[in-house]
Amino acid sequence: MQTIKYTFADGTTSIVEVTEDKYLIHLELLQQEKRNHWKETRRHTSLYYFTDMGIDFEDKRITNP
């Protein structure tokens, strides 16, 4: 038997014992969820991400006198 730990939105957790087959299905679903997230974020990098890392971009629209 394997255990799956669920964390609910309110912060409470629950541990459920499942068979090996259901555990493998659970792992596959988690991997698919990660792949979907990677697919969505691969092309979209937030400017806040760069700002948090200390990287700033020059605004070419602003001209210096």
Side-chain angles (χ1 to χ4, degrees):
M1 292 292 256
Q2 294 286 342
T3 59
I4 298 174
K5 181 179 180 181
Y6 288 99
T7 303
F8 297 96
D10 64 357
T12 60
T13 59
S14 179
I15 298 175
V16 180
E17 284 191 18
V18 295
T19 63
E20 190 71 28
D21 293 338
K22 290 183 182 179
Y23 185 73
L24 292 174
I25 292 169
H26 171 71
L27 291 179
E28 180 60 32
L29 289 172
L30 287 177
Q31 190 62 32
Q32 286 178 6
E33 186 178 331
K34 286 180 186 178
R35 283 189 205 119
N36 287 340
H37 178 70
W38 292 332
K39 188 187 323 180
E40 289 296 319
T41 59
R42 179 176 59 212
R43 295 181 192 96
H44 308 287
T45 303
S46 170
L47 289 178
Y48 294 116
Y49 171 77
F50 289 112
T51 304
D52 290 343
M53 294 187 64
I55 300 171
D56 197 11
F57 294 98
E58 179 181 353
D59 189 354
K60 301 285 185 183
R61 296 175 298 177
I62 299 174
T63 57
N64 293 329

